[in-house]
């Protein structure tokens, strides 16, 4: 896929992309989110393969912070209203350019990144505007494997998928979190 060949950093929106967008609110006001194990394994795998991987989200949540830590994410930026300067700063810190970044998001607040990154993606149930602008549209909805498919597309485009698959033969399965 054009744009995927140069990717070194992969960033994801959380709500509606890594989750299905549903919030379960507890009686004390706490919010619960459901994450997909396939997405989690792919995020851990991308990190292990040397990609900088993480989350840029408009909400602040200890659940998201815990999930990012569990998956060995390289960054988790929460409470971000304008995601463009946030990603720009990440790229600057890593001496990367926009073409070396991939981003997946499902809604309008993600759209400004689509025209900047080397590879943009969205889940199947993303808003119409994101689907129209995305380089990659997953066959899966947010929180249902869309992130996994996006990462797999990048690894396949770079000829690294077989390397990633074969890496499971020599790894302690406890090192990979889903």
């Amino acid at each position: 896929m054009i744009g995927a060949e140069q990717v070194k950093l992969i960033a994801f929106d959380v709500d509606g992309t890594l989750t299905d967008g549903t919030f379960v609110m507890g009686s004390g006001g706490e919010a619960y989110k459901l994450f997909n194990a396939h997405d989690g394994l792919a995020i851990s795998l991308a990190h292990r393969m040397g990609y900088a991987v993480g989350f840029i989200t408009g909400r602040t949540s200890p659940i998201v912070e815990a999930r990012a830590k569990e998956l060995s994410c390289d960054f988790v930026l929460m409470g971000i209203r304008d995601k463009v300067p946030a990603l720009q700063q990440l790229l600057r810190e890593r001496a990367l350019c926009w073409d070396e970044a991939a981003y997946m998001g499902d809604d309008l607040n993600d759209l400004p990144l689509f025209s900047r990154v080397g590879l943009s993606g969205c889940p199947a149930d993303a808003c119409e505007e994101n689907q129209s602008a995305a380089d990659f549209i997953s066959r899966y909805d947010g929180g249902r494997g869309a992130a996994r498919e996006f990462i797999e597309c990048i690894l396949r485009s770079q000829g690294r998928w077989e390397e990633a698959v074969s890496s499971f033969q020599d790894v302690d399965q406890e090192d990979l979190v889903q």
Side-chain angles (χ1 to χ4, degrees):
M1 168 168 279
I2 294 175
E5 295 86 5
Q6 298 180 54
V7 170
K8 296 178 182 172
L9 181 144
I10 309 167
F12 293 95
D13 172 48
V14 176
D15 299 317
T17 302
L18 294 177
T19 74
D20 69 2
T22 300
F23 295 100
V24 178
M25 301 298 289
S27 61
E30 65 276 10
Y32 299 95
K33 301 172 190 256
L34 300 176
F35 293 95
N36 183 285
H38 296 158
D39 290 341
L41 183 89
I43 290 166
S44 292
L45 179 61
H47 169 78
R48 200 171 90 225
M49 296 293 293
Y51 297 87
V53 185
F55 310 153
I56 303 174
T57 180
R59 295 182 183 272
T60 300
S61 166
I63 295 169
V64 171
E65 189 171 3
R67 184 65 170 156
K69 183 178 179 182
E70 180 180 51
L71 299 176
S72 300
C73 286
D74 299 286
F75 55 90
V76 56
L77 304 176
M78 296 187 288
I80 305 298
R81 291 187 105 44
D82 187 350
K83 296 180 181 186
V84 171
L87 184 52
Q88 187 170 29
Q89 180 62 34
L90 278 173
L91 294 172
R92 207 176 291 129
E93 290 169 4
R94 289 166 172 74
L96 297 173
C97 65
W98 283 104
D99 288 342
E100 295 172 306
Y103 181 79
M104 179 176 255
D106 70 304
D107 217 335
L108 298 175
N109 60 330
D110 301 305
L111 199 53
L113 286 172
F114 281 30
S115 62
R116 289 177 164 78
V117 295
L119 181 67
S120 61
C122 66
D125 60 344
C127 71
E128 182 180 320
E129 291 80 2
N130 286 42
Q131 289 189 27
S132 293
D135 300 313
F136 174 87
I137 302 171
S138 176
R139 295 173 293 159
Y140 304 102
D141 289 347
R144 301 278 190 248
R148 160 69 180 257
E149 188 180 27
F150 191 55
I151 289 171
E152 187 173 329
C153 170
I154 292 165
L155 290 172
R156 286 185 185 279
S157 292
Q158 294 183 4
R160 300 192 67 200
W161 181 246
E162 294 305 320
E163 174 190 355
V165 171
S166 67
S167 73
F168 279 90
Q169 295 176 347
D170 298 325
V171 72
D172 181 350
Q173 292 300 312
E174 292 179 12
D175 290 341
L176 285 172
V177 177
Q178 298 178 348

